Amino acid sequence: MFIFGIAVLFKLFSIQFLQGDKYRDLVEKWDVKNVTIPANRGNVYADDGSLLATSIPKYNIAIDAVVAPTSKFEEFVKPLCDSLSSYSGKSSNYYERAIRKARANKNQYLLLAKDINYTDYVRFRNFPLLKLGAIPGGLIVNQKTKREFPMGSIARRTIGYEKIDNKGNVTRPGIDGAFGVEYLRGVDGKQLKQKIGKGKWKPLTDYQIEPKDGYDVYTTIDVNIQDIAHHALKEQLDKYKADHGCVVVMETKTGEVKAISNLGRNSKGVYYERLNYAVGESHESGSTFKLMALTAALEDKVIDTSDVVDTENGILTFYGKKVRDSHRGGYGKISISKAFEVSSNTGIVKVIDQAYSKTPSKFVDRLYAMNLNEKLGVSIIGEPSPVIPDPRIKNGRWSGIALQWMAYGYGVSFTPLQTLAFYNAIANDGKMVRPQFLKEVKEFDKVIEPYEIKVVNNQICSKETIKKVQQLLKNVVEKKHGTGHRLYSENFSMAGKTGTCQKDYRNKEKLNYISSFAGYFPADNPKYSCIVVIHEPDKSVGYYGADVSGPVFKKIAQKIFIDTPVVDEIESLDAKLGLIDNKYDKFYETSKTYKTIMPNVVGMPAMDALALLENMEVKVKVKLNGNGVVKEQSVSKSQKLKNNQTIVLKAS
């Protein structure tokens, strides 16, 4: 037994140390497993079919130089090398030396091409020897998929992606995250592969289970409006050196989100799609909440817009805490309508305090009845619940000044999208619809799932109240004393509310501002609603909502009107539109008269001037800043035009 034991120990020592490398090589040679082949993710499209995100397969092509029988190898190696040479430009001899060396060294993985596209992959599969397949041709194909975003960084966070780190943690923001598992991901395939050493595996068979590509999703995003919103926001963030901001443009009737841009600044001062602030960042609303407060009070019939309120000296005190107007000295005695237009904190707080101080739960209940306490339930992950203090709930954030602070937007908290949904309901005559990011899911031309309008509340308040608050929002922009009067334009109408909210106000050293503007356009029969929120603008440059966020809103509305085709209906096809006819006649006469001589286009709409000059075969650059009417032209009237001359028009 002792001798037998010694023999066993010697054999173990021999296998482990003297012959270990030999047996390890054998294990690696015969190590075979089923490998998961990821399916291609479906594409993400804009509402017009423009590609927003797509998966592009990339291929690495290698050869197992050992597996082919000698007769086949010798027959095809030279033609193979000739084909490789014609593909890469390297000599045929270069490839023949490399492949013969790999065969002599029993190298089962010699890389021939890396990260090639599908067309080149098909070409390689038809090369001599390789077209015989894995066995006996030695073809090794490793496929990986790269996600491409044709619009670059624009709306990148909203379009989304799926990212898996080394620990297996998955990050899925945006539309790709919301619909990736159910629709975009597809079904992975399986393929039998053999380990050939040094972490490399080669296919032994074709697919055992063919991977099935994911479905395509068609979003509500309009690429034109998205581009406008992105650049308008970025320009203002740069100007005010703000920390971050967001814009959402929504179609009023359907709730379809036509544009959403979220830009944050990195340590180098560069803005990029860092987080989805519009969906996931909740904050105190400031003056944009005054619309909710007055809507509640009007619906409860405890106030009317014509009622007069005394703003006193612009300061009110509740339990030692002061509410101040931005206008020193207050506004005196004014109507509630004007208090809203000038965004008087003392005026709004005073009427809400007088109406609800004895029954604050009545005010809260009215807010609840308008669905302001509920999540929107949007498809994109990360929406927080709204915050509304409630005196009946323990730890419900209620205090002696909660009602008064709520009246002008403090103590409550909403995301920009939640605020926009309410403003959109006002624009939509009281019908609150859920913001939609998806139109339909398709497999080729087959619709898998259509997405319909989702109504949250058919009527958030009475038609009478709706008409009153719609007028209030128009007055903010149209009245000379309204906080948004600088946004007014004769060419198109807008309605909305400015908001300037203090941030980190408990620490004066960290005090900052959130500037916002929420509204819709046109003011009558609105087509789009929009919200702009900009965090922490440089206080030395400016911080009021009308100055910081309002211009972004106006620029978006203006460019949508200019750049987006609008189809109108008229009651009679025989109606004679004199003004339009006169403008067309003038345009036609000018285009006939001037062929090589510069016409006078000052006073013409920029789009008409652009069309006229381009028909004259000259290059035109339009510098647009305002309503779209030409104010200056770089070439004077009657001047002879040169071939390929560039004309600069300034429109405002």
Side-chain angles (χ1 to χ4, degrees), residues 31 90 180 193 248 267 275 358 363 381 393 411 428 446 466 471 507 509 527 544 548 595 598 632-633:
D31 194 0
K90 294 180 180 179
K193 289 190 176 184
V248 184
S267 58
L275 295 170
K358 293 181 180 179
F363 179 67
I381 299 167
I393 299 175
N428 202 21
K446 179 184 177 183
I466 288 292
Q471 188 60 50
N507 186 338
E509 293 181 0
K527 183 170 177 59
Y544 285 111
V548 180
K595 297 294 184 183
M598 179 66 192
E632 295 180 32
Q633 57 189 62

PDB file of all heavy atoms in Angstrom, residues 31 90 180 193 248 267 275 358 363 381 393 411 428 446 466 471 507 509 527 544 548 595 598 632-633:
ATOM      1  N   ASP A  31     -11.994  22.642 -25.630  1.00  0.00           N
ATOM      2  CA  ASP A  31     -12.979  23.410 -24.862  1.00  0.00           C
ATOM      3  C   ASP A  31     -13.994  24.019 -25.832  1.00  0.00           C
ATOM      4  O   ASP A  31     -13.671  24.898 -26.622  1.00  0.00           O
ATOM      5  CB  ASP A  31     -12.274  24.520 -24.075  1.00  0.00           C
ATOM      6  CG  ASP A  31     -13.179  25.113 -23.002  1.00  0.00           C
ATOM      7  OD1 ASP A  31     -14.332  24.665 -22.891  1.00  0.00           O
ATOM      8  OD2 ASP A  31     -12.723  26.028 -22.290  1.00  0.00           O
ATOM      9  N   LYS A  90      -1.928  45.409 -49.947  1.00  0.00           N
ATOM     10  CA  LYS A  90      -0.670  44.754 -49.599  1.00  0.00           C
ATOM     11  C   LYS A  90      -0.396  43.638 -50.601  1.00  0.00           C
ATOM     12  O   LYS A  90      -1.319  43.118 -51.227  1.00  0.00           O
ATOM     13  CB  LYS A  90      -0.731  44.190 -48.179  1.00  0.00           C
ATOM     14  CG  LYS A  90      -0.844  45.264 -47.105  1.00  0.00           C
ATOM     15  CD  LYS A  90      -0.904  44.649 -45.716  1.00  0.00           C
ATOM     16  CE  LYS A  90      -1.025  45.720 -44.640  1.00  0.00           C
ATOM     17  NZ  LYS A  90      -1.104  45.147 -43.278  1.00  0.00           N
ATOM     18  N   GLY A 180     -36.237  49.351 -24.966  1.00  0.00           N
ATOM     19  CA  GLY A 180     -35.175  48.462 -25.411  1.00  0.00           C
ATOM     20  C   GLY A 180     -35.442  47.005 -25.121  1.00  0.00           C
ATOM     21  O   GLY A 180     -35.272  46.140 -25.992  1.00  0.00           O
ATOM     22  N   LYS A 193     -18.902  27.348 -30.453  1.00  0.00           N
ATOM     23  CA  LYS A 193     -17.548  27.819 -30.712  1.00  0.00           C
ATOM     24  C   LYS A 193     -16.538  27.001 -29.914  1.00  0.00           C
ATOM     25  O   LYS A 193     -16.852  26.477 -28.844  1.00  0.00           O
ATOM     26  CB  LYS A 193     -17.407  29.307 -30.356  1.00  0.00           C
ATOM     27  CG  LYS A 193     -18.137  30.243 -31.299  1.00  0.00           C
ATOM     28  CD  LYS A 193     -17.769  31.702 -31.050  1.00  0.00           C
ATOM     29  CE  LYS A 193     -18.419  32.633 -32.067  1.00  0.00           C
ATOM     30  NZ  LYS A 193     -17.977  34.038 -31.882  1.00  0.00           N
ATOM     31  N   VAL A 248     -38.645  71.623 -23.892  1.00  0.00           N
ATOM     32  CA  VAL A 248     -39.567  70.625 -24.437  1.00  0.00           C
ATOM     33  C   VAL A 248     -40.587  71.351 -25.303  1.00  0.00           C
ATOM     34  O   VAL A 248     -41.136  72.375 -24.886  1.00  0.00           O
ATOM     35  CB  VAL A 248     -40.309  69.842 -23.336  1.00  0.00           C
ATOM     36  CG1 VAL A 248     -41.180  68.750 -23.962  1.00  0.00           C
ATOM     37  CG2 VAL A 248     -39.345  69.230 -22.348  1.00  0.00           C
ATOM     38  N   SER A 267     -16.814  70.117 -16.819  1.00  0.00           N
ATOM     39  CA  SER A 267     -15.769  70.894 -16.147  1.00  0.00           C
ATOM     40  C   SER A 267     -15.020  71.817 -17.098  1.00  0.00           C
ATOM     41  O   SER A 267     -14.398  72.795 -16.676  1.00  0.00           O
ATOM     42  CB  SER A 267     -14.777  69.946 -15.457  1.00  0.00           C
ATOM     43  OG  SER A 267     -14.201  69.060 -16.407  1.00  0.00           O
ATOM     44  N   LEU A 275     -27.896  64.740 -18.600  1.00  0.00           N
ATOM     45  CA  LEU A 275     -29.006  64.080 -17.926  1.00  0.00           C
ATOM     46  C   LEU A 275     -30.307  64.528 -18.584  1.00  0.00           C
ATOM     47  O   LEU A 275     -30.368  65.570 -19.230  1.00  0.00           O
ATOM     48  CB  LEU A 275     -29.041  64.448 -16.433  1.00  0.00           C
ATOM     49  CG  LEU A 275     -27.870  63.988 -15.570  1.00  0.00           C
ATOM     50  CD1 LEU A 275     -27.941  64.642 -14.200  1.00  0.00           C
ATOM     51  CD2 LEU A 275     -27.855  62.480 -15.424  1.00  0.00           C
ATOM     52  N   LYS A 358     -58.267  79.683   5.983  1.00  0.00           N
ATOM     53  CA  LYS A 358     -59.066  78.937   6.965  1.00  0.00           C
ATOM     54  C   LYS A 358     -59.361  77.501   6.485  1.00  0.00           C
ATOM     55  O   LYS A 358     -59.678  76.634   7.307  1.00  0.00           O
ATOM     56  CB  LYS A 358     -60.380  79.674   7.229  1.00  0.00           C
ATOM     57  CG  LYS A 358     -60.172  81.017   7.926  1.00  0.00           C
ATOM     58  CD  LYS A 358     -61.501  81.709   8.191  1.00  0.00           C
ATOM     59  CE  LYS A 358     -61.284  83.050   8.876  1.00  0.00           C
ATOM     60  NZ  LYS A 358     -62.575  83.776   9.122  1.00  0.00           N
ATOM     61  N   PHE A 363     -57.831  74.157  -1.042  1.00  0.00           N
ATOM     62  CA  PHE A 363     -56.896  74.555  -2.100  1.00  0.00           C
ATOM     63  C   PHE A 363     -56.123  73.338  -2.607  1.00  0.00           C
ATOM     64  O   PHE A 363     -55.996  73.117  -3.819  1.00  0.00           O
ATOM     65  CB  PHE A 363     -55.936  75.616  -1.552  1.00  0.00           C
ATOM     66  CG  PHE A 363     -54.902  76.091  -2.541  1.00  0.00           C
ATOM     67  CD1 PHE A 363     -55.270  76.814  -3.657  1.00  0.00           C
ATOM     68  CD2 PHE A 363     -53.556  75.819  -2.341  1.00  0.00           C
ATOM     69  CE1 PHE A 363     -54.322  77.265  -4.559  1.00  0.00           C
ATOM     70  CE2 PHE A 363     -52.600  76.257  -3.242  1.00  0.00           C
ATOM     71  CZ  PHE A 363     -52.983  76.982  -4.358  1.00  0.00           C
ATOM     72  N   ILE A 381     -37.869  56.365 -18.351  1.00  0.00           N
ATOM     73  CA  ILE A 381     -37.618  56.037 -16.946  1.00  0.00           C
ATOM     74  C   ILE A 381     -37.098  57.254 -16.191  1.00  0.00           C
ATOM     75  O   ILE A 381     -36.330  58.050 -16.724  1.00  0.00           O
ATOM     76  CB  ILE A 381     -36.595  54.891 -16.857  1.00  0.00           C
ATOM     77  CG1 ILE A 381     -37.145  53.646 -17.546  1.00  0.00           C
ATOM     78  CG2 ILE A 381     -36.207  54.590 -15.421  1.00  0.00           C
ATOM     79  CD1 ILE A 381     -36.115  52.563 -17.784  1.00  0.00           C
ATOM     80  N   ILE A 393     -51.694  65.287   5.895  1.00  0.00           N
ATOM     81  CA  ILE A 393     -50.750  64.179   5.834  1.00  0.00           C
ATOM     82  C   ILE A 393     -49.612  64.425   6.814  1.00  0.00           C
ATOM     83  O   ILE A 393     -48.993  65.497   6.809  1.00  0.00           O
ATOM     84  CB  ILE A 393     -50.183  64.016   4.404  1.00  0.00           C
ATOM     85  CG1 ILE A 393     -51.321  63.717   3.419  1.00  0.00           C
ATOM     86  CG2 ILE A 393     -49.136  62.903   4.360  1.00  0.00           C
ATOM     87  CD1 ILE A 393     -50.877  63.650   1.972  1.00  0.00           C
ATOM     88  N   GLY A 411     -42.087  75.476  -2.104  1.00  0.00           N
ATOM     89  CA  GLY A 411     -42.615  74.353  -1.324  1.00  0.00           C
ATOM     90  C   GLY A 411     -43.222  73.268  -2.194  1.00  0.00           C
ATOM     91  O   GLY A 411     -43.328  72.121  -1.763  1.00  0.00           O
ATOM     92  N   ASN A 428     -55.166  73.445 -24.492  1.00  0.00           N
ATOM     93  CA  ASN A 428     -56.028  72.434 -25.116  1.00  0.00           C
ATOM     94  C   ASN A 428     -57.459  72.515 -24.589  1.00  0.00           C
ATOM     95  O   ASN A 428     -58.183  71.520 -24.580  1.00  0.00           O
ATOM     96  CB  ASN A 428     -55.440  71.038 -24.857  1.00  0.00           C
ATOM     97  CG  ASN A 428     -55.914  70.002 -25.856  1.00  0.00           C
ATOM     98  OD1 ASN A 428     -56.350  70.327 -26.946  1.00  0.00           O
ATOM     99  ND2 ASN A 428     -55.836  68.742 -25.459  1.00  0.00           N
ATOM    100  N   LYS A 446     -44.801  46.251 -41.108  1.00  0.00           N
ATOM    101  CA  LYS A 446     -45.902  45.757 -40.272  1.00  0.00           C
ATOM    102  C   LYS A 446     -45.909  46.488 -38.937  1.00  0.00           C
ATOM    103  O   LYS A 446     -44.907  46.525 -38.227  1.00  0.00           O
ATOM    104  CB  LYS A 446     -45.736  44.250 -40.044  1.00  0.00           C
ATOM    105  CG  LYS A 446     -46.810  43.647 -39.163  1.00  0.00           C
ATOM    106  CD  LYS A 446     -46.508  42.166 -38.897  1.00  0.00           C
ATOM    107  CE  LYS A 446     -47.527  41.557 -37.952  1.00  0.00           C
ATOM    108  NZ  LYS A 446     -47.191  40.140 -37.634  1.00  0.00           N
ATOM    109  N   ILE A 466     -61.088  78.214 -17.947  1.00  0.00           N
ATOM    110  CA  ILE A 466     -60.081  78.082 -19.008  1.00  0.00           C
ATOM    111  C   ILE A 466     -59.971  79.378 -19.802  1.00  0.00           C
ATOM    112  O   ILE A 466     -58.860  79.871 -20.064  1.00  0.00           O
ATOM    113  CB  ILE A 466     -60.432  76.903 -19.942  1.00  0.00           C
ATOM    114  CG1 ILE A 466     -60.195  75.566 -19.232  1.00  0.00           C
ATOM    115  CG2 ILE A 466     -59.603  76.970 -21.224  1.00  0.00           C
ATOM    116  CD1 ILE A 466     -58.751  75.252 -18.946  1.00  0.00           C
ATOM    117  N   GLN A 471     -56.706  84.114 -21.248  1.00  0.00           N
ATOM    118  CA  GLN A 471     -56.536  85.556 -21.439  1.00  0.00           C
ATOM    119  C   GLN A 471     -55.406  86.093 -20.568  1.00  0.00           C
ATOM    120  O   GLN A 471     -54.635  86.961 -21.004  1.00  0.00           O
ATOM    121  CB  GLN A 471     -57.846  86.287 -21.115  1.00  0.00           C
ATOM    122  CG  GLN A 471     -57.819  87.763 -21.473  1.00  0.00           C
ATOM    123  CD  GLN A 471     -57.581  88.013 -22.949  1.00  0.00           C
ATOM    124  OE1 GLN A 471     -58.240  87.429 -23.805  1.00  0.00           O
ATOM    125  NE2 GLN A 471     -56.618  88.882 -23.266  1.00  0.00           N
ATOM    126  N   ASN A 507     -29.051  79.327   2.009  1.00  0.00           N
ATOM    127  CA  ASN A 507     -27.641  79.684   2.178  1.00  0.00           C
ATOM    128  C   ASN A 507     -27.331  80.813   1.195  1.00  0.00           C
ATOM    129  O   ASN A 507     -27.193  80.585  -0.003  1.00  0.00           O
ATOM    130  CB  ASN A 507     -26.743  78.475   1.908  1.00  0.00           C
ATOM    131  CG  ASN A 507     -25.273  78.753   2.199  1.00  0.00           C
ATOM    132  OD1 ASN A 507     -24.835  79.906   2.213  1.00  0.00           O
ATOM    133  ND2 ASN A 507     -24.505  77.702   2.413  1.00  0.00           N
ATOM    134  N   GLU A 509     -24.815  82.432   0.482  1.00  0.00           N
ATOM    135  CA  GLU A 509     -23.575  82.325  -0.294  1.00  0.00           C
ATOM    136  C   GLU A 509     -23.760  81.441  -1.525  1.00  0.00           C
ATOM    137  O   GLU A 509     -23.045  81.584  -2.517  1.00  0.00           O
ATOM    138  CB  GLU A 509     -22.451  81.768   0.581  1.00  0.00           C
ATOM    139  CG  GLU A 509     -22.033  82.715   1.708  1.00  0.00           C
ATOM    140  CD  GLU A 509     -20.895  82.142   2.537  1.00  0.00           C
ATOM    141  OE1 GLU A 509     -20.442  81.020   2.232  1.00  0.00           O
ATOM    142  OE2 GLU A 509     -20.463  82.815   3.493  1.00  0.00           O
ATOM    143  N   LYS A 527     -51.032  75.380 -31.489  1.00  0.00           N
ATOM    144  CA  LYS A 527     -50.543  74.143 -32.112  1.00  0.00           C
ATOM    145  C   LYS A 527     -49.471  73.486 -31.255  1.00  0.00           C
ATOM    146  O   LYS A 527     -49.395  72.268 -31.175  1.00  0.00           O
ATOM    147  CB  LYS A 527     -50.000  74.429 -33.510  1.00  0.00           C
ATOM    148  CG  LYS A 527     -49.537  73.173 -34.246  1.00  0.00           C
ATOM    149  CD  LYS A 527     -49.229  73.458 -35.696  1.00  0.00           C
ATOM    150  CE  LYS A 527     -48.694  72.208 -36.421  1.00  0.00           C
ATOM    151  NZ  LYS A 527     -49.625  71.086 -36.402  1.00  0.00           N
ATOM    152  N   TYR A 544     -33.568  86.809 -14.674  1.00  0.00           N
ATOM    153  CA  TYR A 544     -35.028  86.805 -14.753  1.00  0.00           C
ATOM    154  C   TYR A 544     -35.500  85.906 -15.898  1.00  0.00           C
ATOM    155  O   TYR A 544     -34.890  85.871 -16.974  1.00  0.00           O
ATOM    156  CB  TYR A 544     -35.568  88.218 -14.942  1.00  0.00           C
ATOM    157  CG  TYR A 544     -35.513  89.059 -13.684  1.00  0.00           C
ATOM    158  CD1 TYR A 544     -34.636  90.132 -13.571  1.00  0.00           C
ATOM    159  CD2 TYR A 544     -36.338  88.755 -12.597  1.00  0.00           C
ATOM    160  CE1 TYR A 544     -34.575  90.893 -12.416  1.00  0.00           C
ATOM    161  CE2 TYR A 544     -36.288  89.500 -11.434  1.00  0.00           C
ATOM    162  CZ  TYR A 544     -35.402  90.574 -11.350  1.00  0.00           C
ATOM    163  OH  TYR A 544     -35.343  91.305 -10.191  1.00  0.00           O
ATOM    164  N   VAL A 548     -33.833  85.386 -19.597  1.00  0.00           N
ATOM    165  CA  VAL A 548     -32.993  84.208 -19.804  1.00  0.00           C
ATOM    166  C   VAL A 548     -33.716  83.139 -20.617  1.00  0.00           C
ATOM    167  O   VAL A 548     -33.210  82.672 -21.648  1.00  0.00           O
ATOM    168  CB  VAL A 548     -32.528  83.625 -18.446  1.00  0.00           C
ATOM    169  CG1 VAL A 548     -31.645  82.404 -18.668  1.00  0.00           C
ATOM    170  CG2 VAL A 548     -31.780  84.683 -17.642  1.00  0.00           C
ATOM    171  N   LYS A 595     -33.120  90.168 -63.509  1.00  0.00           N
ATOM    172  CA  LYS A 595     -32.470  88.917 -63.871  1.00  0.00           C
ATOM    173  C   LYS A 595     -30.997  88.938 -63.479  1.00  0.00           C
ATOM    174  O   LYS A 595     -30.475  87.985 -62.936  1.00  0.00           O
ATOM    175  CB  LYS A 595     -32.614  88.650 -65.374  1.00  0.00           C
ATOM    176  CG  LYS A 595     -34.057  88.469 -65.835  1.00  0.00           C
ATOM    177  CD  LYS A 595     -34.685  87.228 -65.253  1.00  0.00           C
ATOM    178  CE  LYS A 595     -36.078  86.998 -65.795  1.00  0.00           C
ATOM    179  NZ  LYS A 595     -36.736  85.821 -65.180  1.00  0.00           N
ATOM    180  N   MET A 598     -29.482  93.593 -59.047  1.00  0.00           N
ATOM    181  CA  MET A 598     -29.949  93.363 -57.675  1.00  0.00           C
ATOM    182  C   MET A 598     -31.247  94.125 -57.406  1.00  0.00           C
ATOM    183  O   MET A 598     -31.303  95.349 -57.570  1.00  0.00           O
ATOM    184  CB  MET A 598     -28.865  93.807 -56.675  1.00  0.00           C
ATOM    185  CG  MET A 598     -29.272  93.626 -55.224  1.00  0.00           C
ATOM    186  SD  MET A 598     -29.474  91.881 -54.783  1.00  0.00           S
ATOM    187  CE  MET A 598     -30.287  92.015 -53.206  1.00  0.00           C
ATOM    188  N   GLU A 632     -31.811  94.709 -44.081  1.00  0.00           N
ATOM    189  CA  GLU A 632     -30.621  95.151 -44.799  1.00  0.00           C
ATOM    190  C   GLU A 632     -30.250  94.121 -45.857  1.00  0.00           C
ATOM    191  O   GLU A 632     -30.494  92.925 -45.685  1.00  0.00           O
ATOM    192  CB  GLU A 632     -29.429  95.320 -43.845  1.00  0.00           C
ATOM    193  CG  GLU A 632     -29.583  96.408 -42.812  1.00  0.00           C
ATOM    194  CD  GLU A 632     -28.346  96.505 -41.916  1.00  0.00           C
ATOM    195  OE1 GLU A 632     -27.233  96.226 -42.410  1.00  0.00           O
ATOM    196  OE2 GLU A 632     -28.499  96.843 -40.731  1.00  0.00           O
ATOM    197  N   GLN A 633     -29.645  94.587 -46.969  1.00  0.00           N
ATOM    198  CA  GLN A 633     -29.096  93.701 -47.987  1.00  0.00           C
ATOM    199  C   GLN A 633     -27.677  94.157 -48.299  1.00  0.00           C
ATOM    200  O   GLN A 633     -27.406  95.362 -48.383  1.00  0.00           O
ATOM    201  CB  GLN A 633     -29.974  93.695 -49.233  1.00  0.00           C
ATOM    202  CG  GLN A 633     -30.200  95.058 -49.874  1.00  0.00           C
ATOM    203  CD  GLN A 633     -31.248  95.010 -50.973  1.00  0.00           C
ATOM    204  OE1 GLN A 633     -32.409  94.682 -50.716  1.00  0.00           O
ATOM    205  NE2 GLN A 633     -30.839  95.334 -52.200  1.00  0.00           N
TER     206      GLN A 633
END
